[in-house]
Amino acid sequence: MIVLSKDIMQIVREQDVVLFRNRVREFSTKIGMSLVNQTKLITAASELVRNMLKYANGGKVVLEIISKNAQRGVRLTFIDEGPGIADIQAAMRDGFSTGKSLGLGLPGTKRLVNEFDIKSKVGEGTTVSIIHWKHGR
């Protein structure tokens, strides 16, 4: 996998979400991603960035345009130093929530993107990486 373009954004307050969403749209437009795939990526990214604000008081996101086997995509890596997730398997089930929500965020996000990876350590933080390819496959 080759990184063609990279940016890092700090997310520390609600206002950063709009700037972040615009940056994701800019990255996906740059590679010619369809509006449907852009919408899926931005929806997934919005959920993850709001989780980062809600549960970890912010963090940073690495935005990258990547290339692999002649296809291009956008990879977003969300990194926080929050409390971490004690049970990732439970957190990935529909309906599970520790924050009085519907519990659809993480599993719903996974369904919207082509690749999803989550690592978390209690007391150290969480890193979530998602990839959406230009053509959505």
Side-chain angles (χ1 to χ4, degrees):
M1 192 170 312
I2 299 168
V3 176
L4 303 172
S5 181
K6 182 177 180 175
D7 193 12
I8 297 174
M9 287 188 71
Q10 297 293 324
I11 306 294
V12 293
R13 57 193 175 164
E14 188 66 29
Q15 294 90 329
D16 295 333
V17 173
V18 173
L19 298 173
F20 168 70
R21 288 172 52 102
N22 289 340
R23 198 78 174 116
V24 173
R25 182 180 318 278
E26 190 179 303
F27 269 55
S28 55
T29 300
K30 197 179 283 186
I31 64 167
M33 189 180 285
S34 71
L35 188 57
V36 169
N37 286 328
Q38 282 183 41
T39 302
K40 288 178 180 179
L41 177 62
I42 292 168
T43 301
S46 296
E47 178 66 25
L48 293 173
V49 81
R50 288 189 192 287
N51 277 355
M52 200 163 65
L53 276 171
K54 181 176 181 179
Y55 296 106
N57 293 320
K60 67 180 179 184
V61 183
V62 180
L63 301 96
E64 298 168 304
I65 293 176
I66 56 174
S67 178
K68 179 180 168 188
N69 299 331
Q71 66 174 332
R72 290 187 177 196
V74 175
R75 177 170 56 194
L76 305 172
T77 305
F78 302 79
I79 303 164
D80 73 57
E81 296 177 352
I85 301 170
D87 187 343
I88 290 178
Q89 279 189 319
M92 293 305 299
R93 280 197 311 261
D94 285 333
F96 178 85
S97 175
T98 59
K100 298 178 183 174
S101 68
L102 295 175
L104 299 172
L106 286 175
T109 298
K110 185 176 181 180
R111 287 189 288 268
L112 287 171
V113 296
N114 300 123
E115 297 182 32
F116 180 97
D117 183 60
I118 184 168
K119 293 177 178 57
S120 188
K121 202 163 196 173
V122 173
E124 294 183 19
T126 301
T127 299
V128 179
S129 178
I130 60 173
I131 296 174
H132 206 296
W133 296 105
K134 176 181 174 180
H135 298 296
R137 27 190 150 89

